[in-house]
């Protein structure tokens, strides 16, 4: 790039010595970015609900009816639009009836995760994993209302009947005074319906959600979703999609649904996709445990490997969309990426009870940012996404234990990206030299800069990831189709690739002001290595 001279858009001319250039094309809108792609996921696993969201009504930790107040306040800062609950795999073991009614009378059950390999160490310490059901549907809806998010409930298709699904919808949505379940809801203090729109129909039905074949799952999906009561609500039903980019699962499910005896339920609008960056072995093994990397102990090759694995989401979106379009030719069904993030081996959780708890470094912040940028660039395909998981779990935004509470670098990414919610995505061209490095004695590359842009009125939000560990990218940015009145910048970066926040150092990774300059109609900015940047560009 250096040395090149390129004229464009009338008088503006790229500098000779810039490393990178970005062109935002205001006249090429891609569609509205659904706010719902900035959603969060909460499951009854380890420390997510208990110790994370729920501290209990009698707790000395500040709470609102048992819900951790600090968490609520920070979620409101990032405008969380939707929260998925109660799982995950837990959803297909959960009886929603256990979690309603007088809390002291609710049954205690064995939690799904009791049999997980990670739970073994808890047994060794004499602890058991029981579900108290202190946090149920009412408490979850209260949590959503406090955070101003929409509830997204995952129904149990493996171990409850289709009638139970109907009845959960009835409990949540039947009008005040109309049914016995509406009265039960009223007895708990909620006479008015919850009006839950988003319903997942099972979870990972190819695995923990029933171990179905796609044909079997399609048949169950028809049975569970036909004629469920709607109470005038525009229900959105989300099918349990593939494991990663399993094309076969999607082909065979959609074939069953759309061919022959066609399924015509207009409420089927979402197809769930899960993508975890869990295999960091560089192709050496597919063993679930051995393939994992470490959240804190990694070298520069591991850094790029994690980003490369997360970046596969782009291909997954394109491939799944193309298969779905072969059957659902009008693309009524959109993608719902309701679990994503890095998944490391155990060892960095902040408390032994936090199954799948892991530390979150600046590397994970970049992984989250490039994933959100990918969603932003595909606004017509991806309509919802929920990060796995909100607190004390894989790709957490928060870590908490008892009275201790911190935001991770991921929280700061969500804060920086919140401005994209509801914006008009804009096609944006990134030109930057690839990062080059050596991976197992062979030359390897990863893109040098990438990101996304959106417009709301006269403000353009541009987010950029610089994955390179050593190179500051001297970058010039042009907006085609308007002039720039002013611009400001924010950056999340650290010179230490392992940097993370902890209870002792809660602000080790924090956003800072990024200096930007305007000249000749272009924006000039130095984007530091290993960083996520956001520019707010005011048109006029
Ligand atoms: O997020 C942890 C688990 O990962 C979820 O319960 C499951 O859906 C997935 O396999």
């Amino acid at each position: 790039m250096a040395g090149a001279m390129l004229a464009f858009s009338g008088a503006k001319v790229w500098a000779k010595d810039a490393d990178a250039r970005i062109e935002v094309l205001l006249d090429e809108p891609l569609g509205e970015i659904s706010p719902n792609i900035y959603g969060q996921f909460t499951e009854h696993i380890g420390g997510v609900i208990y110790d994370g969201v729920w501290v209990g009504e009698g707790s000395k930790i500040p709470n609102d009816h048992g819900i951790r107040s600090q968490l609520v306040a920070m979620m409101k800062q990032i405008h969380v639009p939707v929260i998925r609950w109660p799982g995950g795999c837990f959803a297909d073991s959960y009886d929603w009836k256990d979690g309603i009614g007088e809390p002291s009378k609710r049954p205690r059950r064995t939690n799904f995760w009791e049999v997980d390999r990670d739970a073994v160490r808890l047994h060794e310490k004499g602890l058991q994993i029981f579900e108290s059901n202190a946090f149920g549907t009412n408490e979850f809806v209260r949590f959503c209302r406090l955070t101003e998010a929409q509830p997204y409930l995952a129904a149990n298709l493996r171990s409850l009947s289709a009638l139970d699904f109907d009845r959960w919808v009835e409990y949540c949505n039947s009008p005040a005074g109309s049914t016995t379940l509406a009265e039960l809801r009223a007895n708990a203090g909620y006479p008015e319906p919850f009006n839950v729109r988003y319903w997942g129909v099972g979870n990972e039905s190819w695995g923990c959600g029933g171990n179905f074949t796609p044909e079997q799952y399609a048949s169950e999906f028809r049975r569970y979703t036909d004629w469920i009561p709607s109470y005038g609500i525009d229900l959105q039903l989300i099918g349990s999609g593939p494991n990663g980019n399993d094309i076969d699962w999607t082909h065979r499910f959609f074939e069953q649904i759309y061919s022959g005896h066609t399924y015509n339920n207009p409420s089927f609008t979402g197809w769930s996709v899960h993508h975890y960056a869990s295999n960091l072995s560089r192709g050496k093994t597919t063993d679930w445990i051995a393939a994992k990397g470490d959240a804190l102990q990694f070298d520069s090759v591991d850094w790029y490997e994690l980003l490369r694995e997360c970046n596969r989401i782009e291909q997954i979106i394109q491939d799944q969309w193309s298969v779905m379009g072969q059957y659902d030719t009008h693309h009524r069904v959109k993608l719902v990426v309701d679990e994503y993030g890095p998944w490391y081996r155990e060892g960095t959780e902040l408390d032994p009870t936090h199954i799948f708890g892991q530390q979150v470094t600046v590397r994970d912040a970049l992984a989250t940012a490039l994933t959100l940028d990918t969603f932003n660039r595909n606004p017509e395909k991806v309509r919802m996404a929920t990060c796995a998981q909100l607190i004390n779990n894989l790709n957490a935004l928060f870590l908490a234990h008892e009275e201790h509470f911190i935001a991770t670098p991921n929280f700061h990414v969500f804060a920086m990206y919140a401005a994209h919610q509801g914006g008009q995505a804009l096609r944006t061209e990134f030109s930057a030299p690839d990062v080059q490095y050596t991976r197992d004695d062979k030359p390897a590359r990863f893109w040098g800069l990438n990101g996304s842009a959106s417009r709301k009125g006269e403000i353009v939000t541009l987010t950029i990831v610089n994955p390179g560990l050593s190179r500051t990218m001297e970058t010039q940015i042009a907006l085609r189709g308007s002039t720039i009145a002013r611009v400001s910048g924010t950056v999340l970066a650290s010179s230490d690739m392992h940097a993370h926040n902890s209870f002792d150092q809660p602000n080790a990774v924090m956003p800072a002001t990024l200096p930007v300059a305007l000249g000749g109609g272009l924006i000039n900015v130095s984007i530091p290595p290993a960083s996520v940047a956001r520019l707010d560009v005011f048109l006029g």
Side-chain angles (χ1 to χ4, degrees), residues 41 43 45 84 86-91 112-113 203-204 206 208 243 274 276 288 338-340 343 356 388-389 393-394:
F41 170 37
E43 176 168 9
I45 176 175
R84 179 176 184 240
C89 294
F90 176 84
F112 169 88
W113 292 102
N203 169 76
E204 297 193 348
W206 40 264
C208 63
N243 181 10
H274 293 177
Y276 286 110
W288 177 245
D338 49 15
E339 294 187 27
Y340 66 87
W343 190 329
F356 301 163
Q389 301 190 15
N393 200 267
L394 304 169

Side-chain angles (χ1 to χ4, degrees), residues 267-511:
S267 294
F268 173 36
T269 54
W271 187 236
S272 140
V273 166
H274 293 177
H275 174 50
Y276 286 110
S278 56
N279 189 332
L280 301 185
S281 73
R282 300 176 212 156
K284 294 186 189 78
T285 177
T286 52
D287 180 86
W288 177 245
I289 300 283
K292 293 218 183 82
D294 195 279
L296 291 177
Q297 307 293 320
F298 56 87
D299 61 19
S300 59
V301 183
D302 299 325
W303 165 281
Y304 294 119
E305 199 63 16
L306 186 272
L307 299 183
R308 182 191 298 283
E309 280 299 305
C310 288
N311 196 51
R312 287 178 51 231
I313 191 65
E314 178 89 55
Q315 195 61 49
I316 294 173
I317 290 168
Q318 305 309 333
D319 290 350
Q320 293 294 323
W321 187 253
S322 128
V323 173
M324 290 153 67
Q326 291 173 34
Y327 304 93
D328 175 26
T329 48
H330 292 100
H331 277 303
R332 192 182 64 197
V333 182
K334 315 287 188 197
L335 291 166
V336 173
V337 186
D338 49 15
E339 294 187 27
Y340 66 87
W343 190 329
Y344 303 113
R345 69 173 74 102
E346 66 170 285
T348 63
E349 62 280 359
L350 297 189
D351 186 77
T353 57
H354 293 187
I355 298 174
F356 301 163
Q358 57 189 35
Q359 251 300 356
V360 177
T361 64
V362 68
R363 173 175 68 156
D364 304 306
L366 267 73
T368 301
L370 72 82
T371 303
L372 294 173
D373 281 324
T374 308
F375 298 156
N376 288 340
R377 291 194 301 267
N378 291 281
E380 299 202 323
K381 302 184 182 77
V382 185
R383 298 307 285 171
M384 197 194 287
T386 57
C387 182
Q389 301 190 15
L390 176 72
I391 182 165
N392 290 341
N393 200 267
L394 304 169
N395 200 32
L397 281 69
F398 306 101
L399 297 175
H401 181 47
E402 298 170 347
E403 73 276 24
H404 304 288
F405 178 89
I406 53 165
T408 72
N410 276 340
F411 165 80
H412 297 301
V413 169
F414 274 90
M416 288 168 68
Y417 278 56
H420 281 302
Q421 291 187 20
Q424 185 62 234
L426 301 169
R427 193 159 81 81
T428 303
E429 297 295 331
F430 291 80
S431 310
D434 283 352
V435 181
Q436 299 191 38
Y437 62 103
T438 303
R439 179 181 184 262
D440 296 331
D441 301 324
K442 295 200 181 79
R445 324 169 74 94
F446 192 72
W447 46 256
L449 274 192
N450 207 349
S452 64
S454 67
R455 178 179 187 168
K456 268 189 208 163
E458 296 309 292
I459 302 175
V460 170
T461 301
L462 173 62
T463 46
I464 308 161
V465 173
N466 179 0
L469 280 166
S470 51
R471 184 166 179 179
T472 298
M473 286 284 191
E474 301 302 339
T475 304
Q476 287 211 308
I477 302 166
L479 265 67
R480 195 165 78 194
S482 184
T483 51
I484 302 169
R486 67 191 164 88
V487 58
S488 61
T490 310
V491 69
L492 187 74
S494 173
S495 52
D496 172 9
M497 67 178 170
H498 304 105
H500 57 276
N501 297 336
S502 63
F503 292 149
D504 292 336
Q505 287 193 294
N507 298 324
V509 184
M510 285 280 282

Side-chain angles (χ1 to χ4, degrees), residues 86-302:
C89 294
F90 176 84
D92 277 296
S93 70
Y94 180 60
D95 187 345
W96 64 270
K97 298 183 288 304
D98 289 346
I100 60 166
E102 166 56 37
S104 64
K105 299 208 174 88
R106 294 182 192 172
R108 278 173 290 121
R109 305 283 188 207
T110 304
N111 185 291
F112 169 88
W113 292 102
E114 200 269 343
V115 294
D116 188 76
R117 273 183 283 190
D118 255 22
V120 169
R121 61 201 155 99
L122 298 183
H123 295 301
E124 283 164 0
K125 289 179 194 290
L127 297 165
Q128 292 287 314
I129 302 174
F130 291 117
E131 172 56 53
S132 70
N133 281 305
F135 191 89
T137 305
N138 304 332
E139 290 75 20
F140 175 65
V141 169
R142 182 185 288 279
F143 176 46
C144 290
R145 289 183 178 172
L146 289 172
T147 54
E148 295 166 15
Q150 288 291 313
Y152 165 19
L153 298 183
N156 180 344
L157 185 111
R158 176 176 70 83
S159 54
L160 283 187
S161 69
L163 185 60
D164 279 298
F165 181 24
D166 274 29
R167 295 273 157 83
W168 200 11
V169 177
E170 183 175 308
Y171 179 78
C172 291
N173 292 353
S174 61
S178 64
T179 64
T180 303
L181 287 175
E183 272 167 28
L184 261 180
R185 194 183 63 222
N187 292 345
Y190 299 93
E192 295 307 320
F194 294 149
N195 294 335
V196 177
R197 277 185 81 203
Y198 302 109
W199 293 89
V201 185
N203 169 76
E204 297 193 348
S205 301
W206 40 264
C208 63
N211 205 9
F212 293 113
T213 65
E215 291 78 15
Q216 288 166 338
Y217 174 63
S219 155
E220 294 299 298
F221 184 86
R222 286 173 184 269
R223 203 158 65 79
Y224 275 66
T225 56
D226 242 1
W227 301 100
I228 52 173
S230 70
Y231 309 103
I233 294 163
D234 178 23
L235 297 181
Q236 307 286 303
L237 302 174
I238 294 142
S240 171
N243 181 10
N245 200 9
D246 181 356
I247 296 292
D248 187 54
W249 175 268
T250 303
H251 258 302
R252 287 165 58 189
F253 173 88
F254 274 75
E255 190 167 30
Q256 286 292 314
I257 289 288
Y258 283 94
S259 313
H261 176 42
T262 306
Y263 171 88
N264 273 324
N265 187 341
S267 294
F268 173 36
T269 54
W271 187 236
S272 140
V273 166
H274 293 177
H275 174 50
Y276 286 110
S278 56
N279 189 332
L280 301 185
S281 73
R282 300 176 212 156
K284 294 186 189 78
T285 177
T286 52
D287 180 86
W288 177 245
I289 300 283
K292 293 218 183 82
D294 195 279
L296 291 177
Q297 307 293 320
F298 56 87
D299 61 19
S300 59
V301 183
D302 299 325

